[in-house]
Amino acid sequence: MTRRAYSRLSQDRRRTDLLEATLACVADLGLDRAGARQIAERAGVSAGLIRHYFPSKDEMVRAAYAYLMGQMTAAAEDSVAGGELSPEAALAEVIAANFAAPSLSGVKVSLWATFVGRVRVDPAYADIHREGYREFLDLLEARIHPVLVAQGCPADPARCKHLAIALNGLIDGLWIEGSLDHGLYDERRLPGIALAAAEGILRLPDTTLTRHLAREDERS
Amino acid sequence: MTRRAYSRLSQDRRRTDLLEATLACVADLGLDRAGARQIAERAGVSAGLIRHYFPSKDEMVRAAYAYLMGQMTAAAEDSVAGGELSPEAALAEVIAANFAAPSLSGVKVSLWATFVGRVRVDPAYADIHREGYREFLDLLEARIHPVLVAQGCPADPARCKHLAIALNGLIDGLWIEGSLDHGLYDERRLPGIALAAAEGILRLPDTTLTRHLAREDERS
DNA sequence: TTCGCTGTTGTACGAATGTAAAACAAATCT
DNA sequence: AGATTTGTTTTACATTCGTACAACAGCGAA
């Protein structure tokens, strides 16, 4: 029997290949059917190699979750990085970014849900989840505060935190149902629905956030 | 070898025992480790019996998801069943019920997330999810409309639907993070946060919903 | 009490699983 | 060019999985 030809990749490259193959398998096979052999095949690698990069398959899956959350929070932070926008426009952008590609994605929400299902079981998943949630909460709070100040609304820390919690809930819930694409309504309306609801939650005058919606469309 | 003693149960009883054992195993082992043998043991039954009630283990898991969603939507509908409340109080109750036991539950959110992770993979899960989501959306819309009318707000069908979508998103997102109990804030504040945010989304005067909060506490 | 039905158990089996470790080869160093 | 290192493949193994099926036993009917 002749051996398969292969090439040696850098440790980081091979590792991320394995992580992405893991996510791909979990997304369209489910956690139970995402076996070591199938992940390895998707990564273009033989099954035994997994144990050269991870102490066990379970730890590789955990690492894949951490990798996914790192990508998602990095994307959220980048969504307002370079711009010199008004506080209102910046907040609108952070919110609306969740309802367009690549955030609005059936694959992403499938992975997110699958892993959240393990948070209660496995403390490692709980830690990763908590960290990602806290980061997004902080990001939101930092974007909310200047808007409240500019609009002359009360902006004490307790109120900001509560508003961030509520806004994060709104975004999460709409993102999940929107990404699942169940066909119960037109997903293109989600940015408008989300921004109008956010205006209400923050007690801002109408169109404070929604008037920044058109610019989002032009960009695409 | 002596055989195990057993008793014959009614078909319905045995079936729901199996479904509840399935949910219990999925909740605290995860979908991949919830094997037929472990589920059977939890149900106080031998593994072979599964195939007497379900064509396969996978179909039993699907049936367990349908069973769970049936329980949850039934609970949501019951939460406003008998009362002769004002429209505002009824809406507040529907919302607040999601942030107290038994709805606010780590087990429930784990199961919910685990199954949502399969929606994209398996059309049967997609159907069950869509149906449950649509039912809750309709329930919310039916509770929102009379409030808007009573408060003299615009209440055309399109606006009601958008508001129901936003409110559902808010509830879902807060319910998930609250149930996961990550310790980033005090979950007892969730009903207040949710009701205040709902007031904002619906553009209602302050305390229209939150003034019904105290009554919720007294009841417990 | 005995019979008959069928819900239930126990066992067996092939396939798939995660993992260990030996054999190999690709890249690097000398 | 040859030696060395180590990333990678391959084979092997114990375990677990879902399922099939024959044997058994609880329970109502006669």
Side-chain angles (χ1 to χ4, degrees):
Chain A
M1 174 117 187
T2 163
R3 262 181 180 234
R4 194 167 115 196
Y6 66 92
S7 67
R8 306 170 96 124
L9 264 51
S10 81
Q11 285 208 17
D12 281 358
R13 175 61 195 277
R14 188 69 86 191
R15 197 182 131 92
T16 62
D17 279 0
L18 281 171
L19 293 179
E20 275 165 8
T22 303
L23 293 179
C25 283
V26 171
D28 58 52
L29 298 176
L31 246 187
D32 48 340
R33 287 178 171 68
R37 284 167 177 83
Q38 337 217 4
I39 293 172
E41 184 185 10
R42 175 104 52 157
V45 137
S46 86
L49 190 60
I50 288 177
R51 296 257 323 171
H52 204 264
Y53 285 89
F54 300 95
S56 74
K57 178 226 166 192
D58 279 353
E59 289 237 28
M60 180 170 72
V61 177
R62 273 188 273 261
Y65 180 39
Y67 176 73
L68 173 73
M69 289 300 282
Q71 276 187 320
M72 290 178 69
T73 62
E77 282 162 5
D78 289 356
S79 75
V80 285
E84 301 193 358
L85 302 170
S86 67
E88 293 82 5
L91 178 60
E93 188 144 353
V94 169
I95 295 171
N98 293 278
F99 305 106
S103 289
L104 193 78
S105 146
V107 174
K108 284 224 174 75
V109 83
S110 285
L111 290 169
W112 179 89
T114 300
F115 289 128
V116 166
R118 311 215 73 157
V119 162
R120 237 186 91 267
V121 177
D122 187 328
Y125 287 88
D127 290 343
I128 298 167
H129 172 84
R130 182 188 307 111
E131 187 62 19
Y133 180 59
R134 195 187 53 74
E135 278 187 35
F136 195 68
L137 218 48
D138 289 348
L139 176 70
L140 269 184
E141 199 172 334
R143 296 289 155 186
I144 289 173
H145 185 263
V147 173
L148 295 181
V149 170
Q151 298 283 332
C153 304
D156 55 289
R159 178 161 195 258
C160 280
K161 181 165 187 185
H162 285 183
L163 293 175
I165 291 169
L167 212 48
N168 178 81
L170 175 77
I171 293 170
D172 272 8
L174 286 178
W175 171 73
I176 293 164
E177 299 299 343
S179 296
L180 285 178
D181 191 22
H182 37 49
L184 292 176
Y185 51 80
D186 187 350
E187 284 84 19
R188 288 172 300 184
R189 309 217 164 180
L190 276 177
I193 293 174
L195 289 176
E199 278 169 2
I201 289 175
L202 302 179
R203 305 296 201 281
L204 301 173
D206 282 358
T207 77
T208 306
L209 298 175
T210 45
R211 71 159 162 260
H212 300 286
L213 189 56
R215 216 171 39 73
E216 304 279 340
D217 291 343
E218 290 166 11
R219 182 167 306 167
S220 67
Chain B
M1 175 118 190
T2 163
R3 259 176 184 237
R4 196 168 113 197
Y6 66 92
S7 66
R8 310 173 95 130
L9 264 50
S10 81
Q11 286 208 16
D12 280 359
R13 175 61 195 277
R14 190 68 87 189
R15 198 182 129 93
T16 62
D17 279 0
L18 281 170
L19 293 179
E20 274 164 10
T22 303
L23 293 179
C25 283
V26 170
D28 58 48
L29 299 176
L31 247 186
D32 48 340
R33 286 178 171 65
R37 283 169 178 82
Q38 335 218 8
I39 293 172
E41 184 185 9
R42 196 99 151 208
V45 138
S46 88
L49 190 60
I50 289 177
R51 296 258 327 180
H52 199 71
Y53 285 89
F54 300 95
S56 75
K57 178 226 167 194
D58 279 354
E59 290 236 29
M60 181 171 72
V61 178
R62 272 187 274 261
Y65 180 38
Y67 176 74
L68 172 73
M69 288 300 282
Q71 276 187 320
M72 291 178 68
T73 63
E77 283 162 5
D78 288 356
S79 74
V80 285
E84 301 194 357
L85 303 170
S86 67
E88 294 82 4
L91 178 58
E93 186 142 356
V94 169
I95 296 172
N98 292 279
F99 305 105
S103 289
L104 193 78
S105 146
V107 174
K108 283 225 175 73
V109 82
S110 286
L111 290 169
W112 179 89
T114 301
F115 289 128
V116 166
R118 311 214 73 160
V119 162
R120 226 182 46 89
V121 176
D122 187 327
Y125 287 88
D127 290 343
I128 297 166
H129 172 85
R130 182 188 305 113
E131 187 61 20
Y133 180 59
R134 194 185 54 73
E135 277 186 36
F136 195 68
L137 218 48
D138 289 348
L139 176 71
L140 268 184
E141 200 172 331
R143 297 289 155 185
I144 289 172
H145 184 263
V147 173
L148 295 181
V149 171
Q151 297 283 333
C153 305
D156 54 289
R159 180 162 193 257
C160 280
K161 181 164 187 183
H162 286 183
L163 293 175
I165 292 169
L167 212 49
N168 178 80
L170 174 78
I171 294 169
D172 272 7
L174 286 178
W175 171 73
I176 293 165
E177 299 298 343
S179 296
L180 285 178
D181 191 23
H182 37 49
L184 292 176
Y185 50 80
D186 187 349
E187 285 86 18
R188 287 171 300 183
R189 309 217 165 178
L190 276 178
I193 293 175
L195 289 177
E199 277 169 3
I201 289 175
L202 303 179
R203 306 295 201 283
L204 301 173
D206 282 358
T207 77
T208 305
L209 297 175
T210 47
R211 71 158 160 259
H212 300 286
L213 190 55
R215 218 171 38 74
E216 304 278 341
D217 292 342
E218 292 167 11
R219 183 167 307 168
S220 68

